[in-house]
Amino acid sequence: MATLNLGRIKPVFQGAYNNSTAYVVDDIVTFGNETFICILASTGNATSNATYWTKLAAKGTDGTDVGTTLTTQGDILYRDGSGLQRLAKGTAGYVLKQGANDPEWGEAPSGDCVKIATVNGANASDIYMDNVFTDTYKYYRLVYGNLTFNNHTNGAWLRIGFRTGGASGANHGGTYYQKIQEQYNGESAQTFGSGGHQSDSVGVQIANTWNQQTSSSNATYYSYRGSGMLDFFYPTQDDYKPNFIHKVQWNDSGHIGYSQGIGYNNSKITSGGITGLRINCESHNIVTGFFTLYAFKL
């Protein structure tokens, strides 16, 4: 019986093209990251010669090695006009924003009114709000409420003073205050023009919030609450005596009180302005109370 030569019945992968190898029909090779199949047996004919080779798979567009583009935890990959690029990790608290063409990190939009800080009294002798005043805003309002002290025999003064130099700064004392209007003890008459000077380093006396004891036990002495607000204008400006406007209400057993007034710090700030506040109570601790500072753009 005659033998029938069917030839090669399937393609054979021969690996990378070698100029010295004899290739036959249906040999498959790779060259330049592309794949070719032999269509005519030969030796030494490059894969670019269409007489002997046909391209099976073309090479795609070169990409970017993302592993070498992104080098640091928090990096972001984006495309600019020429290709993939790295946006380096941003500063903590910043947000991702769209620039003119490319994304970028920046401060979060502040708005016209923002809450700058909130602190709470927890049997504290001193409460500090440092690094809260900046040139971004010119007008600030401090709101406080639910205020009680650990004084079981007499009323106590809330005192709020200015600070300079940030968290490592100093208290800035010597504050004059004036109660423009005051009424207390359920009286129909009002008192005008009372005031004084707080000469220690704490700052200004602005409110007497009484805490009447409810029993003979020293453990129960803060049933009555006080609240109020202070307004500051441009506290960070140089060559300036910081000033404020205050409103406050308080109550003790069977009485309520209200006063409003103005004040200023008699010690001029020559450089850097006011950076923060110190809050405390005359010879006592602040047992409860919140203090929240808001800032406004003008």
Side-chain angles (χ1 to χ4, degrees):
M1 174 184 275
T3 300
L4 180 63
N5 186 0
L6 296 178
R8 184 169 289 179
I9 62 175
K10 69 174 182 178
V12 177
F13 180 65
Q14 300 288 4
Y17 173 79
N18 189 319
N19 189 57
S20 62
T21 300
Y23 293 103
V24 299
V25 174
D26 290 337
D27 279 344
I28 294 176
V29 298
T30 59
F31 183 82
N33 294 324
E34 295 183 314
T35 304
F36 300 85
I37 187 168
C38 180
I39 58 174
L40 181 64
S42 71
T43 301
N45 288 298
T47 56
S48 58
N49 191 329
T51 300
Y52 301 95
W53 299 95
T54 295
K55 186 180 294 186
L56 281 179
K59 176 184 175 181
T61 302
D62 285 339
T64 300
D65 185 348
V66 175
T68 60
T69 303
L70 302 180
T71 60
T72 306
Q73 180 179 356
D75 287 349
I76 291 178
L77 187 69
Y78 74 97
R79 190 189 190 287
D80 66 1
S82 60
L84 298 179
Q85 302 295 337
R86 167 185 177 252
L87 178 63
K89 173 184 176 182
T91 302
Y94 276 32
V95 297
L96 188 63
K97 302 191 296 184
Q98 179 60 49
N101 294 298
D102 301 324
E104 59 188 26
W105 295 106
E107 294 184 358
S110 56
D112 293 331
C113 174
V114 296
K115 181 191 292 185
I116 299 296
T118 295
V119 293
N120 294 287
N123 204 31
S125 59
D126 292 287
I127 295 174
Y128 294 101
M129 283 186 168
D130 282 320
N131 297 314
V132 291
F133 297 127
T134 68
D135 287 334
T136 302
Y137 300 95
K138 297 297 186 290
Y139 173 64
Y140 294 83
R141 170 166 288 182
L142 178 69
V143 179
Y144 60 89
N146 197 37
L147 190 62
T148 61
F149 306 131
N150 69 341
N151 174 27
H152 60 278
T153 57
N154 297 299
W157 291 92
L158 172 67
R159 303 195 292 190
I160 300 178
F162 297 115
R163 283 170 60 79
T164 57
S168 60
N171 304 314
H172 201 79
T175 303
Y176 287 90
Y177 64 96
Q178 185 76 17
K179 296 175 184 175
I180 306 302
Q181 179 184 22
E182 183 175 32
Q183 187 168 357
Y184 182 59
N185 286 0
E187 300 168 350
S188 59
Q190 297 180 352
T191 301
F192 296 90
S194 64
H197 173 241
Q198 178 61 39
S199 59
D200 67 18
S201 63
V202 176
V204 56
Q205 293 181 304
I206 59 168
N208 59 342
T209 303
W210 293 78
N211 286 293
Q212 180 71 29
Q213 65 179 13
T214 58
S215 72
S216 59
S217 169
N218 291 349
T220 309
Y221 41 70
Y222 45 84
S223 296
Y224 308 105
R225 317 281 167 157
S227 62
M229 65 181 67
L230 291 90
D231 292 340
F232 310 95
F233 178 73
Y234 202 178
T236 59
Q237 62 184 305
D238 295 341
D239 198 27
Y240 175 63
K241 293 182 177 181
N243 57 60
F244 57 88
I245 301 171
H246 73 82
K247 296 181 180 180
V248 61
Q249 73 81 30
W250 67 93
N251 58 279
D252 65 11
S253 180
H255 308 99
I256 61 171
Y258 168 81
S259 69
Q260 59 181 350
I262 57 174
Y264 73 98
N265 192 292
N266 195 40
S267 181
K268 184 170 65 175
I269 310 297
T270 57
S271 178
I274 294 299
T275 58
L277 298 171
R278 179 189 181 189
I279 305 166
N280 78 346
C281 167
E282 181 185 23
S283 303
H284 307 291
N285 285 357
I286 299 174
V287 178
T288 66
F290 68 87
F291 298 85
T292 301
L293 183 67
Y294 295 92
F296 301 85
K297 283 185 177 179
L298 299 181

